[in-house]
Amino acid sequence: MSRFWSRLTHELKPYVPGEQPRIADLVKLNTNESPLGPSPRVLEAIRGEATDSLRLYPDPQASALCAALATYHQVRPEQVFVGNGSDEVLAHAFAALLKHDAPLLFPDITYSFYPVYCRLFGIAYEAVPLDEAMQIRLADYRRTAGAIIVPNPNAPTGVALSRAEIASLLEEHPDVPVVIDEAYVDFGAETAIPLVASHPNLLVVQTMSKSRALAGLRVGYAIGDAGLIEALIRVKDSFNSYPLGRPAQAGAIAALADEAWFQHSRASVIEGRERLNQGLRRLGFEVLPSSANFVFARHPAHQGAALAAALRQRAVIVRHFAAPRISDYLRITVGTDAQTDRLLSALSDILDRA
C-alpha cells in the first residue's frame, strides 16, 4: 500500500485468477484450460508472423479476424468486436453498456470478475440468488434493471440455460442491454448468437481460450447489434487501440478455419467430462449437471477446503471457492484421461484415509 494510491485503488478488491503453480509432476485442473493443444494450423499461422513485420503495428480493427468471425457465425462484420481475451471484451462492455441508473443484475454465484468490474467502473448491482439446485430462475429477473449479464453456461456451476430461456429473458427486458457470457458454450450449451438478429439489446461474448485451446494467445470477441459494437469500439479506442497483435489475429483466423480439429477437441472434452462425472459419483460425490469443460462437485461427508488441500499434497490442483453456499464444492477442469485417473485415485485415497 502506498500513499500515492488513488482512492479508487484503495477501495478495489481485485479478481484473483486461478493459480499457476510450479509443482513437479502436477495435475493442473484448476483453470479450465484445454487438455489438448491448439490446431496445428494455428501454430503454423503464428510462426508465419514471426518475421520482420512485427516491427509494424497490427490492424487496430482486426478487420480480417472480424470478417472471419462474421462468416463463421453468419453475421455482418460490423456486428463483431474482438479484444485481448473475453475478460477485456467484458470490461469494455461493463464500461460501455452496463452502467445505468437502475442496478445491473447477475447471479449471486457466478464469474467473480463481475463485481470487480462493478467496483472499478462504479456500477450499482444486485446479485440474484440461484435456486437450491444452483440454477438461474428467470422469474427472479422480473424486476427493474439497468442491464443484465448472465454467463451461459454459468460459472462455476456449469449449469446452462436453453436458448429459449435466453429469448424469454430478452423479451422481458427489451429496453435494457443484456450480455450473455458464453465462455464455455461450445461444450454443450446453445449459443444465443441466432437471437442477435431480432434483439438489438443482446451482446454475446465468447472466447478462444477454452474450446479452441488458445488461452495463451488471449483472443475474445463479442457479437451484437452494430450499435452495441460501436460502443465497445469507442471504449477500446479510448483505452488501447491495438489490443490484438499480429500473431494473435493470424492464429485466431487459423483456428476458425480448422473446423475438424475444433469438433474433435470439443467432443473429446465432452466425453472426458462424462468419464469424470461417473468417477466422482462412484466415490460418493454430488455433481451438478455441467455443460462446460469443468464439473462442480461436493462430497456430503467432507469439506471442500480440506479435500482441495489434500489433493494439493498429492500434486493435484483443483479450484476451491471460500464463498457462501459453495464452500464445500470443488470446480474440477476436465483433463486428459491420465489426469482424470490421477485425480480419482487421489480422491479415493483421501476418502479411504478419512
Side-chain angles (χ1 to χ4, degrees), residues 29-30 32 156-158 276-277 280 285-288 294-299 302-312 316-322 325-333 343 347 350-351:
L29 303 174
N30 67 322
N32 301 337
T157 65
L276 175 58
N277 282 341
L280 289 170
F285 280 82
E286 301 169 356
V287 187
L288 294 184
F294 59 84
V295 301
F296 206 47
R298 66 178 175 182
H299 197 287
H302 297 272
Q303 294 182 338
L307 288 175
L311 283 170
R312 186 184 182 89
V316 179
I317 306 295
V318 298
R319 192 78 186 266
H320 174 256
F321 300 91
R325 300 184 65 195
I326 60 171
S327 60
D328 283 337
Y329 281 88
L330 301 177
R331 193 195 70 189
I332 306 171
T333 303
L343 167 80
L347 284 171
I350 292 165
L351 297 176

Side-chain angles (χ1 to χ4, degrees), residues 186-205:
D186 292 325
F187 300 108
E190 295 180 292
T191 180
I193 289 175
L195 301 175
V196 165
S198 55
H199 296 84
N201 61 327
L202 170 62
L203 187 78
V204 180
V205 178

Side-chain angles (χ1 to χ4, degrees), residues 78-131:
E78 59 267 29
Q79 292 180 288
V80 181
F81 175 87
V82 299
N84 189 246
S86 62
D87 284 338
E88 182 183 73
V89 176
L90 287 169
H92 292 341
F94 271 73
L97 302 171
L98 302 186
K99 183 175 182 178
H100 298 278
D101 293 335
L104 169 66
L105 304 183
F106 53 76
D108 67 331
I109 298 170
T110 194
Y111 188 25
S112 53
F113 227 138
Y114 296 167
V116 173
Y117 286 142
C118 287
R119 288 188 290 268
L120 178 62
F121 297 116
I123 300 172
Y125 69 92
E126 291 180 7
V128 182
L130 301 181
D131 66 15

Side-chain angles (χ1 to χ4, degrees), residues 35-325:
L36 306 174
S39 161
R41 293 191 194 180
V42 171
L43 302 180
E44 182 180 356
I46 293 171
R47 284 192 290 266
E49 290 296 322
T51 69
D52 180 66
S53 65
L54 288 178
R55 66 187 174 83
L56 303 173
Y57 284 107
D59 174 7
Q61 301 303 332
S63 302
L65 175 55
C66 286
L69 285 164
T71 298
Y72 189 85
H73 290 290
Q74 299 181 348
V75 297
R76 301 188 309 276
E78 59 267 29
Q79 292 180 288
V80 181
F81 175 87
V82 299
N84 189 246
S86 62
D87 284 338
E88 182 183 73
V89 176
L90 287 169
H92 292 341
F94 271 73
L97 302 171
L98 302 186
K99 183 175 182 178
H100 298 278
D101 293 335
L104 169 66
L105 304 183
F106 53 76
D108 67 331
I109 298 170
T110 194
Y111 188 25
S112 53
F113 227 138
Y114 296 167
V116 173
Y117 286 142
C118 287
R119 288 188 290 268
L120 178 62
F121 297 116
I123 300 172
Y125 69 92
E126 291 180 7
V128 182
L130 301 181
D131 66 15
E132 293 303 313
M134 294 291 175
Q135 297 185 5
I136 293 171
R137 286 182 298 219
L138 293 183
D140 294 338
Y141 288 79
R142 292 177 187 141
R143 62 173 86 178
T144 300
I148 297 172
I149 182 167
V150 174
N152 195 46
N154 195 13
T157 65
V159 179
L161 294 170
S162 68
R163 186 184 298 147
E165 290 173 307
I166 297 295
S168 177
L169 179 68
L170 289 162
E171 288 158 10
E172 291 177 1
H173 295 276
D175 299 320
V176 305
V178 176
V179 176
I180 305 299
D181 182 357
E182 294 187 343
Y184 302 100
V185 73
D186 292 325
F187 300 108
E190 295 180 292
T191 180
I193 289 175
L195 301 175
V196 165
S198 55
H199 296 84
N201 61 327
L202 170 62
L203 187 78
V204 180
V205 178
Q206 292 196 8
T207 178
M208 293 196 172
S209 294
K210 315 298 183 183
S211 59
R212 297 186 188 273
L214 296 180
L217 205 58
R218 312 308 301 128
V219 180
Y221 59 94
I223 292 177
D225 182 81
L228 302 184
I229 299 303
E230 181 183 0
L232 299 182
I233 293 172
R234 288 173 65 87
V235 170
K236 173 186 77 75
D237 288 345
S238 300
F239 172 70
N240 178 13
S241 296
Y242 300 95
L244 287 184
R246 289 172 175 268
Q249 293 185 35
I253 292 170
L256 292 170
D258 197 346
E259 184 68 9
W261 181 92
F262 168 68
Q263 294 297 341
H264 167 74
S265 177
R266 64 185 291 273
S268 296
V269 171
I270 292 170
E271 181 180 346
R273 183 182 66 212
E274 297 314 306
R275 187 171 181 272
L276 175 58
N277 282 341
Q278 292 172 13
L280 289 170
R281 291 192 178 105
R282 282 196 296 268
L283 293 174
F285 280 82
E286 301 169 356
V287 187
L288 294 184
S290 174
S291 295
N293 68 338
F294 59 84
V295 301
F296 206 47
R298 66 178 175 182
H299 197 287
H302 297 272
Q303 294 182 338
L307 288 175
L311 283 170
R312 186 184 182 89
Q313 291 176 352
R314 292 161 172 80
V316 179
I317 306 295
V318 298
R319 192 78 186 266
H320 174 256
F321 300 91
R325 300 184 65 195

